[in-house]
Amino acid sequence: MLSRFAPQARFDLVFLESMSSCAQGLSESPDLEFEYSDTDKWAAELSELYSYTEGPEFALNRKCFEEEFRAHVSDRKWTELDAAQHRAHAMRLLDGLEVIAREKRLKVARAILYMAQGTFAECSSEAEVQHWMRYNIFLLLDVGTFSALVELLNMEIDNSAACSSAVRKPAISLADSTDLRVLLNIMYLMVETIQQDEPADKPEWKIIKETFRAELGSPLFNNEPISVMLFGMVTKFCSGHAPHFPMKKVLLLLWKSILFTLGGFEQLQNIKVQKREELGLPPLPEDSIRVIRSMRAASPPASASDLIEQQQKRARREHKALIKQDNLDAFNEKDPYKADDSREDEDDNDDNDNSIEAETFPIERDEVMPPPIPHPPSERVSFPKGLPWAPKVREKDIENFLESSRSKFIGYTLGRYLLVLRTYPFSSHFQHKYVSIAEIQVAKEEEFQKTPLSGGEEEVEMCATELLYQGILPSLPQYMCLLDPQIALLKILLAAAPTSKAKTDSINILADVLPEEMPTTVLQSMKLGVDVNRHKEIIVKAISAILLLLLKHFKLNHIYQFEYMAQHLVFANCIPLILKFFNQNIMSYITAKNSISVLDFPYCVVHELPELTAESLEAGDNNQFCWRNLFSCINLLRILNKLTKWKHSRTMMLVVFKSAPILKRALKVKQAMMQLYVLKLLKVQTKYLGRQWRKSNMKTMSAIYQKVRHRLNDDWAYGNDLDARPWDFQAEECALRANIERFNSRRYDKSHSNPDFLPVDNCLQSVLGQRVDLPEDFQMNYDLWLEREVFSKPISWEELLQ
């Protein structure tokens, strides 16, 4: 049979056969039962606000509340009072925030924090704590507590004495950020609790929630959205002027504020559908999140040691095949590999199944696959046998296809060829033509730039995304890269990455986790080590979510807002930073157990705490994976995809930084969504990796073909790319930068508009009729001015008339 093929084809078939046999004995880990969403469960998001070092402060908050409560109310419990008494006491605490004495103000703030924590001393279960948290927080918001907290936070940000004291200290601890932490804790609990959707909420609570959402995204707090103020805290921290800022809490509050005001991934999809309908574009072919949730993870590529081991087993099997024919039947009765035939029959039968669960790779037919993970019926998406994605064809793809076709048939004009094209079977390319919102926005911007006078005034919808962009735009000048909030976020991400090494010039992100007195016992040291690692993981989670949300919302609002932020990230070395993050044992990172469940809020304030031992700390929890770490990895991969998509120069950066082996190692994580974004990044650079790499990674190539969307003229596997031009990073980025600057100047920089395009008043009567306010010294010396400038100068009337 092989003799009919070319030598190279014979080699490829033999290679595929060897890869298939090598995969038979690989130990398969089960698919990770991970559901990607905007956030983790509410209890997990609450617990990550507090470090384990802050544990003793729960009792301190309770003490402050009870002292205030006993001073004004009888010995009854908070949960026994009626709504009017609750509101009266909340108003008294709010008045206490306006006192001048810092210690008194801090005591009242701790009492309010205890209310926001659900008055846990009077509760017997975690569910009861969460119930009273929700009730108390809506009460606090209704009496105006959040606005008072924002004013106090502004005072603490501008507290130069605290900043200068922290700068001079050799070591910063929790005690240096007590006031800030209490305020940020209350604000985070309010935002995180109110954004939770509860069907049983009262109608007035729903009104309060929507009002709070609008206020949080509007420039009502110090004439700027709350997110812009938090961005300023990040910038100030990274510049070294405020090293005592509790950066984890700032980033968590910033993330949840953006998520609450702009919306999560489901809201993004709804906005996208609405915008396409307004622009007259056809509806989206599918919901990508639903498609990905229905996909199965691929088997990870075999490592070198696995390949060698399986080749040795295959050689032993071939040696056994030389047994005499009369003993072959007896051998087959005990041969463990004989069962492969039945499995092949089962796979052939599965081909008739149209569900995506039956999807297997051709080179994996002989593998023992783990049982599929059951999905809810509502989340199922059925496709015909084949690729899961609907085709998409860009206008540029069609033009390239027509151009290459016309080169074969000289004499055809474009119009005539289009008529012929519509009569052929491949006219489906027009059916699947996809016009993105970004293409419409680019075309409109080009029209505004070409016709600034006749183009009319652009109607800009002042949504929360637009207000946020306008708020951070003045603080992002291109000549002040060190003060760029995105770059500041990357500096924190670099400090929190597991692969980063401590440097003298790096920022200290552990200011809000280190205690005043360092641990003295082994158990205390182990607990602090777990706390520090958990602290870094939460920071990475928050930053990755912030960057991804901003990129997606800016891209939907206007493509040049997205490109402006994306280019800042690229120039700040975001691409090598993410690759550096993944250049680690990613399976160890995802399965890390840096948590102590008995110390998590609200469990620790309701139950009796057991005695901690070194063995219990080492064992960790029983979870299959760490939700926040897998969430962070997927977010970073999505950011990398957004930065490099359709950007040839940035794709070449992936090749130059040797990202292929790093990304390939990430495929060991058996989670469909993470593998999809890794395969996307590998697909765009496959054509540049060489023939030998493609031959040595046939299993990865097969996974790309099975999982990733393909385009018209998409020869990603061969290297005959039309865009395979010389790598001119500077020219491509400079052209993009010029378009971004023209967009920002036209829409936002009204002071530096072109004077040639400003209206001119040519009416002599209206010009002379305008009232001009002359300075006082001119009016006093008006006679002297007339004598010097008018009467004493001769006037040649003949020359003037000519």
Side-chain angles (χ1 to χ4, degrees), residues 692-745:
Q692 186 60 42
W693 187 92
R694 295 193 289 271
K695 286 165 58 178
S696 303
N697 294 272
M698 290 304 298
K699 194 169 186 181
T700 304
M701 300 285 287
S702 178
I704 293 173
Y705 180 78
Q706 287 266 331
K707 300 291 185 183
V708 185
R709 191 198 308 271
H710 301 281
R711 303 279 180 164
L712 181 65
N713 301 332
D714 193 0
D715 53 353
W716 58 273
Y718 303 102
N720 301 319
D721 184 24
L722 294 173
D723 290 335
R725 55 193 180 280
W727 181 29
D728 192 351
F729 176 85
Q730 190 172 6
E732 188 173 346
E733 294 295 339
C734 285
L736 178 60
R737 190 171 192 169
N739 291 334
I740 295 170
E741 288 179 351
R742 283 194 291 267
F743 165 76
N744 285 335
S745 177

Side-chain angles (χ1 to χ4, degrees), residues 199-212:
D201 279 350
K202 306 173 185 177
E204 55 267 28
W205 283 11
K206 295 180 180 179
I207 296 174
I208 292 174
K209 176 180 178 179
E210 293 305 318
T211 304
F212 183 53

Side-chain angles (χ1 to χ4, degrees), residues 494-495 497-507 536 580:
L494 177 61
T499 54
S500 64
K501 298 179 180 178
K503 295 182 180 179
T504 55
D505 58 342
S506 62
I507 54 179
K536 290 182 178 181
K580 179 180 179 181

Side-chain angles (χ1 to χ4, degrees), residues 65 69 76-81 86 89 115 119 122 136:
F65 174 83
F69 192 66
R76 297 170 62 190
K77 293 183 178 180
W78 171 263
T79 54
E80 297 173 352
L81 302 181
H86 285 156
H89 188 67
M115 282 183 61
T119 54
E122 303 175 20
N136 293 342

